[in-house]
Amino acid sequence: MPSLITFGETMLRLSPAPGELIETATELDFRTAGAESNVAIAASNLGLEATWCSKLPDSPLGRRVTREIRSHGVSTNVTWTDEGRQGTYYIEQGNEPRGTSVIYDRTDAAVRTATPTELADGIAFDSVDAWYTSGITPALSAQLRETTGSLLERAQAAGATTVFDLNYRAKLWSPAEARDACRPLLESVDIAVIPARDARLVLEESGSDQEILRSLATTYNPDIFVLTQGGNGAIAIDAAGTRYEQPVFETETFDPIGTGDAFVGGFLANYLETESVSRALEYGAGTAALKRTIDGDLAVVTPAAVERVIEAAGGDGGIDR
Amino acid sequence: MPSLITFGETMLRLSPAPGELIETATELDFRTAGAESNVAIAASNLGLEATWCSKLPDSPLGRRVTREIRSHGVSTNVTWTDEGRQGTYYIEQGNEPRGTSVIYDRTDAAVRTATPTELADGIAFDSVDAWYTSGITPALSAQLRETTGSLLERAQAAGATTVFDLNYRAKLWSPAEARDACRPLLESVDIAVIPARDARLVLEESGSDQEILRSLATTYNPDIFVLTQGGNGAIAIDAAGTRYEQPVFETETFDPIGTGDAFVGGFLANYLETESVSRALEYGAGTAALKRTIDGDLAVVTPAAVERVIEAAGGDGGIDR
Amino acid sequence: MPSLITFGETMLRLSPAPGELIETATELDFRTAGAESNVAIAASNLGLEATWCSKLPDSPLGRRVTREIRSHGVSTNVTWTDEGRQGTYYIEQGNEPRGTSVIYDRTDAAVRTATPTELADGIAFDSVDAWYTSGITPALSAQLRETTGSLLERAQAAGATTVFDLNYRAKLWSPAEARDACRPLLESVDIAVIPARDARLVLEESGSDQEILRSLATTYNPDIFVLTQGGNGAIAIDAAGTRYEQPVFETETFDPIGTGDAFVGGFLANYLETESVSRALEYGAGTAALKRTIDGDLAVVTPAAVERVIEAAGGDGGIDR
Amino acid sequence: MPSLITFGETMLRLSPAPGELIETATELDFRTAGAESNVAIAASNLGLEATWCSKLPDSPLGRRVTREIRSHGVSTNVTWTDEGRQGTYYIEQGNEPRGTSVIYDRTDAAVRTATPTELADGIAFDSVDAWYTSGITPALSAQLRETTGSLLERAQAAGATTVFDLNYRAKLWSPAEARDACRPLLESVDIAVIPARDARLVLEESGSDQEILRSLATTYNPDIFVLTQGGNGAIAIDAAGTRYEQPVFETETFDPIGTGDAFVGGFLANYLETESVSRALEYGAGTAALKRTIDGDLAVVTPAAVERVIEAAGGDGGIDR
Amino acid sequence: MPSLITFGETMLRLSPAPGELIETATELDFRTAGAESNVAIAASNLGLEATWCSKLPDSPLGRRVTREIRSHGVSTNVTWTDEGRQGTYYIEQGNEPRGTSVIYDRTDAAVRTATPTELADGIAFDSVDAWYTSGITPALSAQLRETTGSLLERAQAAGATTVFDLNYRAKLWSPAEARDACRPLLESVDIAVIPARDARLVLEESGSDQEILRSLATTYNPDIFVLTQGGNGAIAIDAAGTRYEQPVFETETFDPIGTGDAFVGGFLANYLETESVSRALEYGAGTAALKRTIDGDLAVVTPAAVERVIEAAGGDGGIDR
Amino acid sequence: MPSLITFGETMLRLSPAPGELIETATELDFRTAGAESNVAIAASNLGLEATWCSKLPDSPLGRRVTREIRSHGVSTNVTWTDEGRQGTYYIEQGNEPRGTSVIYDRTDAAVRTATPTELADGIAFDSVDAWYTSGITPALSAQLRETTGSLLERAQAAGATTVFDLNYRAKLWSPAEARDACRPLLESVDIAVIPARDARLVLEESGSDQEILRSLATTYNPDIFVLTQGGNGAIAIDAAGTRYEQPVFETETFDPIGTGDAFVGGFLANYLETESVSRALEYGAGTAALKRTIDGDLAVVTPAAVERVIEAAGGDGGIDR
């Protein structure tokens, strides 16, 4: 089983029932969510040996986070602290035209002060196959910008495949700030996942998605670029310049939150076994499709279920295990 | 902030979960609902200074009603009594072909004996900008027919804009009874909202909706007529004979109950500020579209949300505040 | 299996969760309850062939009532009608000093117009072993006073053991009204269950409970009198003048509502098999003790469970089956 | 009221909320379900005098089953036993592409040892109008294969209309086993309901659905064959060779489980009154359409509701009562 | 109706079900709570015209707070802001020896920057009968220390009765900090409520409770001192040196949180009408007893209910209305 | 961190809400429970590196079990199989005199065929500090009797401290069967936990608890015997013959299920660190007291919480970390 470490903030997620509003709710669902733990959970459910690494307040709230992550078989490597809050977010899903609204309550989260030294404690970098962080993490504080870069470098130096999903969040920083932070990070990244919208907004790319993909591949360091296109699927290019296209699998969506993380988790679970970008894209898309039928951020899936989705759509199907 | 007073019956609303039936349910959602409090709530959420005026049993059931109404910032001017019941209704929403069914349990409701004198107590008619009642109220008792008329007259005499939504309910009276009661009421009304179906059934109008609108404007006293057309939106005519058309905004409906009241509440919230029928119609339609995404009768909305709906649909957007 | 018919009103019961108030609740438990159906249900769960007889609105609310009653194996002999309401009550249980409060909402209940003729339709009086009504039924309307008496007479004439629980409810009538109605009814009753408090208040008895019991036995017609004493248990006297005492079995109470009905149901289930007053009292007390551990009005018990309670308390135990 | 007896296994049904997974659920809905009790419940709700006959463990789990069945007015004729389990199944409904998954947990169910003698005890075969079993029952054990056949024969000999729904379940037996068991059973059947898919797979029929229907009618003994075609409705042929076609009524599906049983229950409720195959098919389709709007396996419907569905679709409507 | 204004922070309150833990909960109850809004709500439910004054984030979370407060008839005078968080707290109630634990998450709450000027906007100090703040408010920030003092002075100058409950919270500041802040505040206070424990810890009083009461009365400015003694009730002294003792009313406690605030709310509701310290203490104790039977922080009570508690305990009973 | 492996069956646990009955419930809580996973979870929450080892069906039900166990930081070493069921139990908690009733549904559980070879796969016996099984495991099948013994021997041989809790379950085997199976097992056990009742019933000991303890110590092989005495606490003896007494800590019990397992888990968590029997007994009692305040079988506790319980009762307190 290949191993994956992800690093980032995980929040508590509070949400009213369908059709209900935060303003009038008297009961909230209580879950955990965060790009990096979402990816670790999807990957663990699909067979990787995954570890999530972060800093949390030493409180029932912090332990609530690790309990849910561990329930999916993910190991947790946590720096416990008495300083800082447990990040939280409220999500109110609404039909159109109301739409979904999110209220982040992550000010002063404990993770913001996490240093490379404290996070690295307990990690055997030599035996890590892959390391993943999203672009949300460096957006959270100056310290985390440094920590993200430092750990990516260290993981890459130790031989891990480093993976970065740009995942720009306008509520956290400006495109210019994101640009300044992410460009240097891409130096230590082997696989970059970049939403087409962010490529334009943050990396100032232009042209068609295919043109952007080529431009990224010639401008930046990563071997593999996956350009995600929302409802249109994803396209990718590898070090050899081979191009890949992956449409989305048709779904009746129950809850779209976490789709991108499920895609990345599925992609990595497969890629680290098969080293086939095409199969990994298909696997990521299958994982993402299943996620959308499930309440909450998490891809609670099995390899067999992902493979059934791929096969039903006429795809190649799975990792030959 | 312009002020609005609404007068009518508000019931307790009991409903099983989606897919469940009253016959087999073991738990019911417990809310309040009534055309006039629905309108006051929508208007209050959108910035009016709204008051709901009624008569209730002096019991936890009656107080359950005022608590929910007040939670939306609406003032309550209630005559408390030891006589009469708290009106109640059961609603079981069902997909097609089962459809939604409603069981009214409003026999002997305390409000049925409300006199103009007791309701007027505590109201400063001079400072009321608008007064609203629906056609449900006069349908409830002979006393309420008299009270409705008397209060509309008094409000109009004091300078308020009087508003009446015909809102015919076949379970309460016959078209002929409604006709006899509502025609005289229209004498004291400045803005009449009339469902196209009721214009035909109750007011015995015929022809196309546009023809009916013209006929209403020439036959009855109000300055403004809004003819609501269900899924087709609404058309209106003002005192100057100018005509308006307002389509509905596209929605994925979660719960359609209360759409009409949300429309009126939104219309009034805007009209009392802008005196623009076209903007008010748009605002009403935006409020109604949001309501349909929310469980229960109530339009828990903000001006900003309504304006986003209008703008997303290419409309003019909002009250310039 | 001996057979029992009970006749009376059954209501829908709406209640908030423990610690919650009707005034602020957003969800209510939804059950059915009524002295006579409670007795039939307890007796059916304990092995009698029980039938509940009443008049209900032909609506999902009326059907909600029969579904729950039938689920306990009780047959229903219902006159369905389009006139009148489904009686309802709200119950808010509170710790001391708040206490439990009940709001009856039984105005205009359909059952109030039930005539002897319509209720008797479908009942084979010849094969009925026992007939039960509580003093709540004649309190509901003049018609029901007549109907209660007429059916007790007819059942007694046909050879059934007739049973009447005085069960005075101050919210329904005055002691004087109850006295005038119940004294004549006692003429057609074989077994009278009378709360000690009601013997004093309604029947104007005085002295110690034992003195009252003797006085009742000499004044009124029934063969057996059971004087219930709340937390002190019950005492009884039979036609031969033999006296019985039955303490309550110790319980940790979860919900006390329905204790008296469970006692009567258990008493009858046993008495109709054993014709032993002492065993029947014990059985009734065991059934009542179990009921108090259960949420709602209903004694969902088995003979084996009742017998375990009796044996654990050193009693004789059960019906020899 | 015609009478119907159904015989088969009924399970407890455990299911997580929409969007939730069994793997992560902390609460499950708890209901009962089984083809034969589903049919009896639909038929009882539509006016038949229905009895469900089976063998259950003498435990709260077994009693949970009879309570829910009885709540729909169905009588239960149960052999209680201390041997064997209460069958259970878990159902997790999922949007596409996840789909619905079912986990049967019916090993060693008490019903598997039910003999004709014990089940027949308490049944007055002479007064039974119809007898129904599905092809699930003989699939459960060798004993039940024998019992199913024996009871069908006895019912037919006593003059009942015998009804069999082939309802092949691949998780219980192979097509060949089903074929060997069902062909002899069809000898004692008056009305056979056969899914088109099962006609091909189990009975080895081929050709178009209409060709299969003719072939069944010429090969096997029943007077009436109903070939169900899933989303395409059903076709039928009677003893006179008359053919019938019944499309499905359009529905927004909430829960599809139990559709087929609702169809059969509705068909029988009507056919036993009208002896009209065309009306019965329409009635069955109306019942099935309503069932799909309801959570759970059970068709909690009224004759009036079924007739409204048929009339709304321009059908003939109902049984003339 | 006398009027009361209270000023302080109100938080969202998140709590798992009884017996459940935050660490493993998947659903949380969602309410609002804060000493000053608790007092306003109790007082409003008991007949005062109450207003709660604070600063909140302009978001669904902030509006969730005002909606619940308004539902109790309390007016809200809120400064809405885009800066700062909505304070939150988690409460996990546990039987002994686990006990109740509270996690405050009120860092950077919007209220911390509230200035006297912004809060005073919209308040007619001339017509305010009483002004209340607890010692929690000045503990929240240096700005709030200044604001609390400034508003108390202004209210007192305008003729209001000013009320201060010391209510020391060790999680917010040290006893020395509290001492430095609260001593000057007491200069502008007419009625001081001081927990006996805080008198010792914060105000460095010593001796018996009665000795402390005398010492407070001679040392500080307020006319009336109420020394609360937890389970032992309260003692008080007025400007004339008259002493009062009030035991607690016996209760079966469901949820103790908010008892002190209910006591103060009940005390003020009565005192502002009767100007009788003894009656007000009794009224406060009755309100507190009822609160303890209710889930959540809020005293949802009626004057009649409080008076019943007092009378049942042989007290004087209520305000003569 | 010392390591602990536990081996046994874990079931799914289904339970109605307080006051509700299985017979009438419509919703069940869904958790996992099993003596050996309960012990591992308590120990893991208290700081041990715990692993639970078993055999499960490869289905969502089996995965439901591992997810909950893992959420507490326990590793799972599971043999997944397509044969056999997932054991289940229903628990209905009732106040006295109803009491709690349990329905085991563990027939044919997958674990029953677990062999020493398949379970040992993946376990590094050399690095295991302690190995725990309860007497429930050998009661489940002949294979498990053999497997239990074989693994205890192997663990002991590899240097682990082996621990066995006799935990006799009358529903699984007779005292004689238990005696025959458990006596040989005690040969390979270092620490034996034996309920006083089982010492008498299964091991045929007699006399006072202290006499039994001495007799056990002279008759059987283990170094340490802990005799648990229910509400009276526990007594113990070590290899040196030193005796220990540990009373229970006073608790308000919410749910008593799992108390014994919590005691063992707490005992081991402490003993493996301190090697002090007296401290370990105290720690076990503290863990057990906390468990009783929590819904479900699991001791979701922290070392700090256990130490607070001990200190509050005047104990020594904790492991010096």
Side-chain angles (χ1 to χ4, degrees), chain E residues 191-219:
Chain E
I191 303 178
V193 180
I194 301 180
R197 183 206 52 189
D198 299 353
R200 293 182 172 86
L201 190 65
V202 176
L203 299 181
E204 296 186 307
E205 298 291 334
S206 59
S208 71
D209 286 1
Q210 286 290 359
E211 286 164 354
I212 287 175
L213 192 63
R214 180 170 350 171
S215 163
L216 291 172
T218 55
T219 313

mmCIF file of all heavy atoms in Angstrom, chain E residues 191-219:
data_model
loop_
_atom_site.group_PDB
_atom_site.id
_atom_site.type_symbol
_atom_site.label_atom_id
_atom_site.label_comp_id
_atom_site.label_asym_id
_atom_site.label_seq_id
_atom_site.Cartn_x
_atom_site.Cartn_y
_atom_site.Cartn_z
ATOM 1 N N ILE E 191 -28.266 48.797 42.198
ATOM 2 C CA ILE E 191 -28.504 47.469 42.750
ATOM 3 C C ILE E 191 -27.345 46.574 42.328
ATOM 4 O O ILE E 191 -27.088 46.420 41.123
ATOM 5 C CB ILE E 191 -29.820 46.858 42.232
ATOM 6 C CG1 ILE E 191 -31.013 47.770 42.556
ATOM 7 C CG2 ILE E 191 -30.043 45.459 42.805
ATOM 8 C CD1 ILE E 191 -32.357 47.265 42.034
ATOM 9 N N ALA E 192 -26.656 45.991 43.308
ATOM 10 C CA ALA E 192 -25.539 45.101 42.992
ATOM 11 C C ALA E 192 -25.903 43.676 43.395
ATOM 12 O O ALA E 192 -26.304 43.440 44.535
ATOM 13 C CB ALA E 192 -24.278 45.539 43.732
ATOM 14 N N VAL E 193 -25.788 42.762 42.442
ATOM 15 C CA VAL E 193 -25.982 41.340 42.721
ATOM 16 C C VAL E 193 -24.595 40.718 42.736
ATOM 17 O O VAL E 193 -23.837 40.854 41.764
ATOM 18 C CB VAL E 193 -26.850 40.682 41.631
ATOM 19 C CG1 VAL E 193 -27.048 39.202 41.923
ATOM 20 C CG2 VAL E 193 -28.192 41.404 41.511
ATOM 21 N N ILE E 194 -24.244 40.077 43.827
ATOM 22 C CA ILE E 194 -22.881 39.586 43.971
ATOM 23 C C ILE E 194 -22.901 38.173 44.531
ATOM 24 O O ILE E 194 -23.377 37.945 45.640
ATOM 25 C CB ILE E 194 -22.068 40.520 44.893
ATOM 26 C CG1 ILE E 194 -22.054 41.938 44.290
ATOM 27 C CG2 ILE E 194 -20.648 39.989 45.091
ATOM 28 C CD1 ILE E 194 -21.288 42.957 45.099
ATOM 29 N N PRO E 195 -22.409 37.213 43.749
ATOM 30 C CA PRO E 195 -22.283 35.863 44.288
ATOM 31 C C PRO E 195 -21.346 35.877 45.501
ATOM 32 O O PRO E 195 -20.288 36.541 45.465
ATOM 33 C CB PRO E 195 -21.662 35.077 43.124
ATOM 34 C CG PRO E 195 -22.049 35.854 41.899
ATOM 35 C CD PRO E 195 -22.033 37.288 42.342
ATOM 36 N N ALA E 196 -21.715 35.174 46.565
ATOM 37 C CA ALA E 196 -20.914 35.175 47.787
ATOM 38 C C ALA E 196 -19.463 34.773 47.492
ATOM 39 O O ALA E 196 -18.514 35.355 48.031
ATOM 40 C CB ALA E 196 -21.541 34.221 48.802
ATOM 41 N N ARG E 197 -19.320 33.798 46.609
ATOM 42 C CA ARG E 197 -17.995 33.331 46.237
ATOM 43 C C ARG E 197 -17.170 34.465 45.616
ATOM 44 O O ARG E 197 -15.976 34.629 45.890
ATOM 45 C CB ARG E 197 -18.183 32.185 45.211
ATOM 46 C CG ARG E 197 -16.998 31.479 44.697
ATOM 47 C CD ARG E 197 -17.349 30.912 43.305
ATOM 48 N NE ARG E 197 -17.886 32.012 42.477
ATOM 49 C CZ ARG E 197 -18.456 31.865 41.274
ATOM 50 N NH1 ARG E 197 -18.632 30.684 40.763
ATOM 51 N NH2 ARG E 197 -18.886 32.921 40.580
ATOM 52 N N ASP E 198 -17.824 35.296 44.767
ATOM 53 C CA ASP E 198 -17.115 36.390 44.106
ATOM 54 C C ASP E 198 -16.804 37.523 45.092
ATOM 55 O O ASP E 198 -15.800 38.225 44.937
ATOM 56 C CB ASP E 198 -17.935 36.969 42.945
ATOM 57 C CG ASP E 198 -18.209 35.929 41.869
ATOM 58 O OD1 ASP E 198 -17.658 34.807 41.958
ATOM 59 O OD2 ASP E 198 -18.977 36.245 40.941
ATOM 60 N N ALA E 199 -17.682 37.695 46.061
ATOM 61 C CA ALA E 199 -17.412 38.732 47.079
ATOM 62 C C ALA E 199 -16.076 38.420 47.760
ATOM 63 O O ALA E 199 -15.262 39.321 48.006
ATOM 64 C CB ALA E 199 -18.546 38.776 48.104
ATOM 65 N N ARG E 200 -15.863 37.145 48.023
ATOM 66 C CA ARG E 200 -14.603 36.745 48.660
ATOM 67 C C ARG E 200 -13.427 36.824 47.689
ATOM 68 O O ARG E 200 -12.397 37.422 47.974
ATOM 69 C CB ARG E 200 -14.719 35.320 49.206
ATOM 70 C CG ARG E 200 -15.696 35.197 50.373
ATOM 71 C CD ARG E 200 -15.775 33.794 50.944
ATOM 72 N NE ARG E 200 -16.584 33.787 52.163
ATOM 73 C CZ ARG E 200 -17.910 33.675 52.199
ATOM 74 N NH1 ARG E 200 -18.591 33.517 51.069
ATOM 75 N NH2 ARG E 200 -18.560 33.714 53.349
ATOM 76 N N LEU E 201 -13.627 36.233 46.518
ATOM 77 C CA LEU E 201 -12.519 36.060 45.579
ATOM 78 C C LEU E 201 -12.135 37.381 44.912
ATOM 79 O O LEU E 201 -10.964 37.732 44.804
ATOM 80 C CB LEU E 201 -12.932 35.038 44.511
ATOM 81 C CG LEU E 201 -11.856 34.542 43.579
ATOM 82 C CD1 LEU E 201 -10.793 33.750 44.334
ATOM 83 C CD2 LEU E 201 -12.476 33.647 42.496
ATOM 84 N N VAL E 202 -13.124 38.127 44.499
ATOM 85 C CA VAL E 202 -12.854 39.334 43.712
ATOM 86 C C VAL E 202 -12.794 40.566 44.625
ATOM 87 O O VAL E 202 -11.870 41.369 44.533
ATOM 88 C CB VAL E 202 -13.925 39.516 42.619
ATOM 89 C CG1 VAL E 202 -13.705 40.836 41.865
ATOM 90 C CG2 VAL E 202 -13.898 38.327 41.662
ATOM 91 N N LEU E 203 -13.773 40.695 45.494
ATOM 92 C CA LEU E 203 -13.833 41.908 46.316
ATOM 93 C C LEU E 203 -13.091 41.743 47.634
ATOM 94 O O LEU E 203 -13.082 42.650 48.472
ATOM 95 C CB LEU E 203 -15.297 42.309 46.550
ATOM 96 C CG LEU E 203 -16.089 42.624 45.273
ATOM 97 C CD1 LEU E 203 -17.515 43.034 45.607
ATOM 98 C CD2 LEU E 203 -15.395 43.717 44.445
ATOM 99 N N GLU E 204 -12.469 40.587 47.817
ATOM 100 C CA GLU E 204 -11.630 40.326 48.990
ATOM 101 C C GLU E 204 -12.367 40.497 50.305
ATOM 102 O O GLU E 204 -11.778 40.883 51.322
ATOM 103 C CB GLU E 204 -10.379 41.221 48.957
ATOM 104 C CG GLU E 204 -9.516 40.896 47.765
ATOM 105 C CD GLU E 204 -8.202 41.645 47.744
ATOM 106 O OE1 GLU E 204 -8.246 42.874 47.842
ATOM 107 O OE2 GLU E 204 -7.149 40.999 47.638
ATOM 108 N N GLU E 205 -13.656 40.190 50.292
ATOM 109 C CA GLU E 205 -14.421 40.205 51.534
ATOM 110 C C GLU E 205 -14.148 38.902 52.294
ATOM 111 O O GLU E 205 -13.739 37.900 51.712
ATOM 112 C CB GLU E 205 -15.929 40.309 51.235
ATOM 113 C CG GLU E 205 -16.321 41.587 50.505
ATOM 114 C CD GLU E 205 -16.170 42.821 51.395
ATOM 115 O OE1 GLU E 205 -16.258 42.681 52.638
ATOM 116 O OE2 GLU E 205 -15.953 43.932 50.848
ATOM 117 N N SER E 206 -14.428 38.932 53.585
ATOM 118 C CA SER E 206 -14.263 37.707 54.369
ATOM 119 C C SER E 206 -15.306 37.689 55.486
ATOM 120 O O SER E 206 -16.039 38.662 55.683
ATOM 121 C CB SER E 206 -12.867 37.608 54.939
ATOM 122 O OG SER E 206 -12.639 38.738 55.752
ATOM 123 N N GLY E 207 -15.364 36.584 56.171
ATOM 124 C CA GLY E 207 -16.380 36.429 57.228
ATOM 125 C C GLY E 207 -17.574 35.661 56.717
ATOM 126 O O GLY E 207 -17.537 35.057 55.639
ATOM 127 N N SER E 208 -18.646 35.682 57.527
ATOM 128 C CA SER E 208 -19.865 34.984 57.117
ATOM 129 C C SER E 208 -20.529 35.774 55.993
ATOM 130 O O SER E 208 -20.194 36.936 55.748
ATOM 131 C CB SER E 208 -20.828 34.894 58.294
ATOM 132 O OG SER E 208 -21.344 36.196 58.555
ATOM 133 N N ASP E 209 -21.501 35.128 55.332
ATOM 134 C CA ASP E 209 -22.211 35.818 54.261
ATOM 135 C C ASP E 209 -22.892 37.080 54.799
ATOM 136 O O ASP E 209 -22.903 38.128 54.144
ATOM 137 C CB ASP E 209 -23.250 34.878 53.621
ATOM 138 C CG ASP E 209 -22.583 33.827 52.726
ATOM 139 O OD1 ASP E 209 -21.339 33.817 52.609
ATOM 140 O OD2 ASP E 209 -23.326 33.017 52.131
ATOM 141 N N GLN E 210 -23.446 36.987 55.990
ATOM 142 C CA GLN E 210 -24.114 38.160 56.563
ATOM 143 C C GLN E 210 -23.098 39.270 56.848
ATOM 144 O O GLN E 210 -23.359 40.459 56.610
ATOM 145 C CB GLN E 210 -24.864 37.790 57.856
ATOM 146 C CG GLN E 210 -26.152 37.003 57.616
ATOM 147 C CD GLN E 210 -27.272 37.852 56.982
ATOM 148 O OE1 GLN E 210 -27.102 39.061 56.736
ATOM 149 N NE2 GLN E 210 -28.394 37.216 56.686
ATOM 150 N N GLU E 211 -21.952 38.894 57.324
ATOM 151 C CA GLU E 211 -20.908 39.894 57.563
ATOM 152 C C GLU E 211 -20.458 40.553 56.259
ATOM 153 O O GLU E 211 -20.226 41.764 56.182
ATOM 154 C CB GLU E 211 -19.708 39.237 58.258
ATOM 155 C CG GLU E 211 -19.981 38.931 59.728
ATOM 156 C CD GLU E 211 -18.989 37.953 60.342
ATOM 157 O OE1 GLU E 211 -18.129 37.405 59.603
ATOM 158 O OE2 GLU E 211 -19.082 37.710 61.570
ATOM 159 N N ILE E 212 -20.351 39.700 55.248
ATOM 160 C CA ILE E 212 -19.947 40.250 53.949
ATOM 161 C C ILE E 212 -20.991 41.245 53.448
ATOM 162 O O ILE E 212 -20.663 42.315 52.934
ATOM 163 C CB ILE E 212 -19.750 39.097 52.940
ATOM 164 C CG1 ILE E 212 -18.453 38.341 53.281
ATOM 165 C CG2 ILE E 212 -19.714 39.627 51.520
ATOM 166 C CD1 ILE E 212 -18.213 37.105 52.439
ATOM 167 N N LEU E 213 -22.232 40.893 53.604
ATOM 168 C CA LEU E 213 -23.303 41.771 53.130
ATOM 169 C C LEU E 213 -23.201 43.150 53.796
ATOM 170 O O LEU E 213 -23.262 44.191 53.131
ATOM 171 C CB LEU E 213 -24.659 41.118 53.439
ATOM 172 C CG LEU E 213 -25.880 41.742 52.774
ATOM 173 C CD1 LEU E 213 -25.794 41.629 51.256
ATOM 174 C CD2 LEU E 213 -27.161 41.046 53.248
ATOM 175 N N ARG E 214 -23.014 43.146 55.132
ATOM 176 C CA ARG E 214 -22.869 44.420 55.847
ATOM 177 C C ARG E 214 -21.650 45.201 55.344
ATOM 178 O O ARG E 214 -21.729 46.394 55.083
ATOM 179 C CB ARG E 214 -22.717 44.162 57.346
ATOM 180 C CG ARG E 214 -22.559 45.461 58.155
ATOM 181 C CD ARG E 214 -22.659 45.192 59.645
ATOM 182 N NE ARG E 214 -23.104 43.799 59.854
ATOM 183 C CZ ARG E 214 -23.138 43.190 61.024
ATOM 184 N NH1 ARG E 214 -22.798 43.855 62.116
ATOM 185 N NH2 ARG E 214 -23.524 41.934 61.131
ATOM 186 N N SER E 215 -20.569 44.465 55.166
ATOM 187 C CA SER E 215 -19.342 45.115 54.714
ATOM 188 C C SER E 215 -19.529 45.750 53.338
ATOM 189 O O SER E 215 -19.103 46.880 53.093
ATOM 190 C CB SER E 215 -18.211 44.078 54.692
ATOM 191 O OG SER E 215 -17.142 44.535 53.920
ATOM 192 N N LEU E 216 -20.181 45.027 52.464
ATOM 193 C CA LEU E 216 -20.425 45.578 51.122
ATOM 194 C C LEU E 216 -21.239 46.860 51.224
ATOM 195 O O LEU E 216 -20.928 47.871 50.568
ATOM 196 C CB LEU E 216 -21.188 44.563 50.254
ATOM 197 C CG LEU E 216 -20.418 43.304 49.853
ATOM 198 C CD1 LEU E 216 -21.349 42.298 49.167
ATOM 199 C CD2 LEU E 216 -19.263 43.668 48.895
ATOM 200 N N ALA E 217 -22.266 46.794 52.038
ATOM 201 C CA ALA E 217 -23.173 47.938 52.162
ATOM 202 C C ALA E 217 -22.472 49.174 52.712
ATOM 203 O O ALA E 217 -22.833 50.308 52.398
ATOM 204 C CB ALA E 217 -24.369 47.566 53.038
ATOM 205 N N THR E 218 -21.461 48.950 53.535
ATOM 206 C CA THR E 218 -20.762 50.108 54.103
ATOM 207 C C THR E 218 -19.620 50.548 53.199
ATOM 208 O O THR E 218 -19.191 51.692 53.251
ATOM 209 C CB THR E 218 -20.222 49.782 55.512
ATOM 210 O OG1 THR E 218 -19.414 48.611 55.426
ATOM 211 C CG2 THR E 218 -21.369 49.506 56.473
ATOM 212 N N THR E 219 -19.124 49.644 52.377
ATOM 213 C CA THR E 219 -17.962 49.955 51.544
ATOM 214 C C THR E 219 -18.331 50.579 50.200
ATOM 215 O O THR E 219 -17.650 51.461 49.705
ATOM 216 C CB THR E 219 -17.154 48.671 51.267
ATOM 217 O OG1 THR E 219 -16.986 47.975 52.489
ATOM 218 C CG2 THR E 219 -15.808 48.993 50.635
#
